[in-house]
């Protein structure tokens, strides 16, 4: 079982991190409690098993460690932050940052001109320390004045962004690329699929120019309605977008520690 520790130093001469061998999770914290902790640990457990990093402790054990360590301060109602768990070298390092990043306004996305994902790579299925591909997408987005860049895969269909999952409205239905096309199985993405509001479907570049509204999701910001996609204005008030925002934001306190 991996040992839970407060964030410490790393000996890069011996650490598996020098080759990117590790998995991590970024988790939104509300009122001092991690949102959907169980689902994040489930994905982390799958990644740790695949890369032979070790066994991830149960949700109750992680919750108890966080409570005893004081790593997450018990906040007043409405207090928020971000929790990060890093599994590597036989341990899980924990860090907490108070506050949340600001929502982009306006929010835009476009297709990357430099990165192509390989849809069968295991790096698409888990959140790993081998993060350079995603970092390059984020840097490209910043250079082009967007919030995120969407990567095509080797077959020319859309996967996802450097730090978000993509949802698009086509014919009144909300679609997201399947994991078989290289999309990360995001936690917020999972919630929308489970609700029945969204469906998986392979999406082409032509779909980007046919959609009427679009949404990005990730664990910290939850829902990010797009104001423009590939330089086309999007309908941020579309019913499907409003429903997706409501699903991800509704009853978040009930979902803490699950």
């Amino acid at each position: 079982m991996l040992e839970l520790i407060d964030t410490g130093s790393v000996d890069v001469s011996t650490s598996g991190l020098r080759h990117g061998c590790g998995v991590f999770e970024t988790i939104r914290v509300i009122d001092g409690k991690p949102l959907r902790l169980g689902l994040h640990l489930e994905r982390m457990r799958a990644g740790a098993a695949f890369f032979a990093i070790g066994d991830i402790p149960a949700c109750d054990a992680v919750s108890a460690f966080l409570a005893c360590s004081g790593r997450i301060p018990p906040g007043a109602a409405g207090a928020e932050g971000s929790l990060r768990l890093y599994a590597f070298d036989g341990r899980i390092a924990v860090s907490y940052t108070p506050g949340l990043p600001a929502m982009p306004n306006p929010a835009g996305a476009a297709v990357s001109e430099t990165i192509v994902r390989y849809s069968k790579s295991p790096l698409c299925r888990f959140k790993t320390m081998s993060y350079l591909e995603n970092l390059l997408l984020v840097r490209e987005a910043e250079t082009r004045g967007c919030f995120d860049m969407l990567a095509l895969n080797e077959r020319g269909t859309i996967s996802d962004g450097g730090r978000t999952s993509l949802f698009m409205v086509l014919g009144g239905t909300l679609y997201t690329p399947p994991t078989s096309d290289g999309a990360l199985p995001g936690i917020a993405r999972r919630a929308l699929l489970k609700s029945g509001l969204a469906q998986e479907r392979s999406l082409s570049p032509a779909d980007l120019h046919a959609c009427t509204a679009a949404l990005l999701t990730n664990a910290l910001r939850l829902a990010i309605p797009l104001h423009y996609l590939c330089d086309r204005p999007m309908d941020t008030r579309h019913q499907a977008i409003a429903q997706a925002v409501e699903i991800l934001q509704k009853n978040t306190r009930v979902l803490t520690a699950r």
Side-chain angles (χ1 to χ4, degrees):
M1 190 69 63
L2 296 179
E3 178 189 6
L4 286 156
I5 63 167
D6 284 336
T7 302
S9 60
V10 174
D11 183 353
V12 294
S13 66
T14 59
S15 174
L17 292 182
R18 71 189 187 279
H19 298 308
C21 185
V23 293
F24 74 98
E25 290 291 327
T26 301
I27 305 165
R28 182 165 174 160
V29 173
I30 299 176
D31 296 344
K33 296 182 180 180
L35 179 64
R36 301 185 177 95
L37 177 60
L39 295 180
H40 282 279
L41 291 175
E42 179 183 317
R43 182 172 63 182
M44 191 179 213
R45 189 169 293 111
F50 183 89
F51 294 108
I53 294 170
D55 295 330
I56 303 297
C59 186
D60 288 347
V62 175
S63 296
F65 174 84
L66 294 173
C68 292
S69 70
R71 172 57 66 179
I72 301 177
E80 296 184 312
S82 55
L83 171 71
R84 289 179 172 83
L85 306 178
Y86 305 92
F88 64 98
D89 297 348
R91 52 189 173 171
I92 300 177
V94 178
S95 70
Y96 173 76
T97 304
L100 294 172
M103 290 286 285
N105 187 26
V111 174
S112 173
E113 297 175 347
T114 60
I115 299 296
V116 175
R117 289 201 196 278
Y118 178 57
S119 62
K120 296 186 183 301
S121 170
L123 300 184
C124 295
R125 304 202 304 272
F126 311 109
K127 292 185 74 88
T128 76
M129 301 294 195
S130 299
Y131 201 69
L132 282 178
E133 183 175 272
N134 292 304
L135 180 60
L136 290 173
L137 286 168
V138 172
R139 287 181 176 175
E140 183 182 351
E142 293 170 349
T143 299
R144 295 174 59 181
C146 295
F147 177 71
D148 208 358
M149 281 290 120
L150 307 172
L152 301 180
N153 63 24
E154 76 280 6
R155 300 188 302 276
T157 59
I158 302 163
S159 60
D160 55 13
R163 53 186 171 187
T164 59
S165 299
L166 171 69
F167 291 83
M168 299 186 339
V169 177
L170 292 165
T173 301
L174 196 63
Y175 293 106
T176 191
T179 55
S180 59
D181 282 352
L184 176 77
I187 303 303
R189 173 186 182 276
R190 176 172 173 170
L192 290 183
L193 288 171
K194 186 176 181 180
S195 74
L197 176 66
Q199 302 176 29
E200 287 186 315
R201 197 191 89 175
S202 290
L203 299 171
S204 70
D207 290 324
L208 294 172
H209 298 279
C211 73
T212 55
L215 176 83
L216 300 178
T217 64
N218 68 17
L220 287 185
R221 293 177 174 87
L222 301 182
I224 309 165
L226 286 177
H227 294 81
Y228 58 93
L229 178 61
C230 296
D231 297 322
R232 295 179 58 247
M234 296 285 104
D235 179 8
T236 58
R237 298 184 179 182
H238 191 283
Q239 181 180 3
I241 300 300
Q243 289 178 311
V245 171
E246 182 180 6
I247 288 170
L248 293 179
Q249 293 183 344
K250 183 179 180 181
N251 297 328
T252 52
R253 288 171 179 78
V254 175
L255 293 168
T256 54
R258 285 190 179 178

